Amino acid sequence: MRKKIVAGNWKMNTTVAEGIELVNQIIAKIEEIPQQVQLIVNTPFTHLFPISKIIGDIKCPNCRSKLALGAQNCADKEKGAYTGEVAAQMLVSLSKAVGTVVGAPADAVGAPVEYVILGHSERRGYYGETNAILLEKIKQALAAGLKVIYCVGEALEDRKAGRHFDVVGEEIKEVLFALGEEDMKKITVAYEPIWAIGTGETATKEQAQEIHAFIRKSLAEKFGALAQQISILYGGSCKPSNAAELFSQPDIDGGLIGGAALKADDFIAIAKSF
Ligand code: PEP
């Protein structure tokens, strides 16, 4: 069975203190989440360290495994003189540093940074991240041991012109087709129509299912039966009121959630919508 995933993309929101409060509110309700659902919080870089410690400290083992930590970006290079960049290896090294914090037991280990979001339309649009750059980022992330949530999606003009399959197909082929099968097992795809992100407008369940099925069919061209095991998430104004109908579709395996991930109650309600 494919993994059911609800991943929060916090974007550039919350102070560190607010982020800590938000994750604590999520943890307080984590027992309500069905065991088969993987929750992920993808926080700003500045929040990863304290939140790694908080998630690592969750006592109940069943609850601990329900919540994973992720970042929202990583560099396309391994290391070196790239001012302002954060390498995938640095993200992976973070959880082991929790034991160095004053007052923590020396053997304390935080929750690992397990995931990274790459290919988000805001990164493609505002920061000029092309498919070629994204492929390099994905290679760095995978080499460091991270799992990748790879986002694809079309702009409104593309949808209106009926070009959405071409755009999404290209984002899949130019990037994911360059990976081997073992690497592909560490990829989750998120379909996020740009016209639905943060706009309150959501793809209908039929529109979303149609393109999720297309993504899976495209993946099957290269990866065969493995395509059936890859989780494909929907993102774009997903909220408690529409999550259940979206998640009921055969090729929708969960959601990448922006605005609604900033309210613990909404995030939890979405995760209970399967
Ligand atoms: C996102 O940007 O990943 C997203 C899905 O945002 P929102 O849920 O706010 O539309």
Side-chain angles (χ1 to χ4, degrees):
M1 204 175 74
R2 287 193 293 272
K3 214 174 193 176
K4 305 285 183 204
I5 296 176
V6 173
N9 175 11
W10 291 10
K11 310 194 184 187
M12 198 171 72
N13 291 301
T14 73
T15 62
V16 177
E18 287 164 350
I20 288 172
E21 192 183 337
L22 177 55
V23 85
N24 277 325
Q25 287 168 352
I26 293 168
I27 290 169
K29 300 210 165 173
I30 200 131
E31 274 181 87
E32 297 174 19
I33 306 298
Q35 201 61 46
Q36 82 276 15
V37 179
Q38 177 68 70
L39 272 191
I40 308 167
V41 286
N42 294 276
T43 80
F45 288 137
T46 43
H47 301 33
L48 289 169
F49 192 83
I51 292 179
S52 161
K53 175 156 183 359
I54 292 168
I55 298 177
D57 281 347
I58 296 176
K59 291 290 170 279
C60 134
N62 279 349
C63 306
R64 167 67 198 83
S65 62
K66 283 186 203 172
L67 184 59
L69 182 58
Q72 299 172 23
N73 191 17
C74 72
D76 59 342
K77 305 283 192 306
E78 192 185 339
K79 62 177 174 180
Y82 301 102
T83 303
E85 288 294 299
V86 173
Q89 284 287 0
M90 295 173 184
L91 296 172
V92 170
S93 72
L94 183 143
S95 64
K96 295 191 192 79
V98 165
T100 64
V101 171
V102 178
D107 60 348
V109 176
V113 178
E114 233 179 292
Y115 290 85
V116 62
I117 297 174
L118 294 171
H120 194 283
S121 58
E122 288 154 13
R123 299 289 323 168
R124 291 179 190 264
Y126 301 145
Y127 302 100
E129 294 189 0
T130 60
N131 285 339
I133 293 172
L134 290 165
L135 177 58
E136 292 311 306
K137 289 190 173 210
I138 290 178
K139 285 182 182 165
Q140 289 297 331
L142 294 172
L146 293 169
K147 296 174 197 148
V148 174
I149 300 173
Y150 175 62
C151 305
V152 297
E154 80 286 355
L156 187 57
E157 353 22 306
D158 295 319
R159 167 126 330 230
K160 282 189 176 154
R163 281 194 303 264
H164 44 297
F165 293 113
D166 294 339
V167 172
V168 169
E170 216 166 83
E171 289 173 340
I172 295 283
K173 287 183 184 154
E174 288 186 7
V175 178
L176 299 183
F177 278 24
L179 302 179
E181 206 167 299
E182 281 313 301
D183 279 343
M184 193 59 212
K185 289 181 185 163
K186 294 167 199 135
I187 307 281
T188 296
V189 177
Y191 167 65
E192 298 206 310
I194 301 171
W195 47 273
I197 294 178
T199 58
E201 186 132 351
T202 316
T204 63
K205 61 180 192 307
E206 291 83 9
Q207 285 173 321
Q209 166 57 27
E210 182 186 40
I211 201 142
H212 279 232
F214 166 79
I215 292 169
R216 198 174 305 287
K217 192 166 136 272
S218 306
L219 291 173
E221 277 173 33
K222 163 84 178 165
F223 299 103
L226 177 61
Q228 288 304 323
Q229 290 169 41
I230 293 166
S231 298
I232 306 177
L233 314 183
Y234 170 80
S237 300
C238 185
K239 45 189 179 260
S241 58
N242 59 24
E245 68 170 14
L246 287 161
F247 297 174
S248 68
Q249 299 304 300
D251 286 293
I252 301 183
D253 305 308
L256 179 56
I257 319 296
L262 296 171
K263 291 192 191 117
D265 285 347
D266 285 355
F267 192 52
I268 296 284
I270 291 170
K272 287 163 76 177
S273 301
F274 287 99

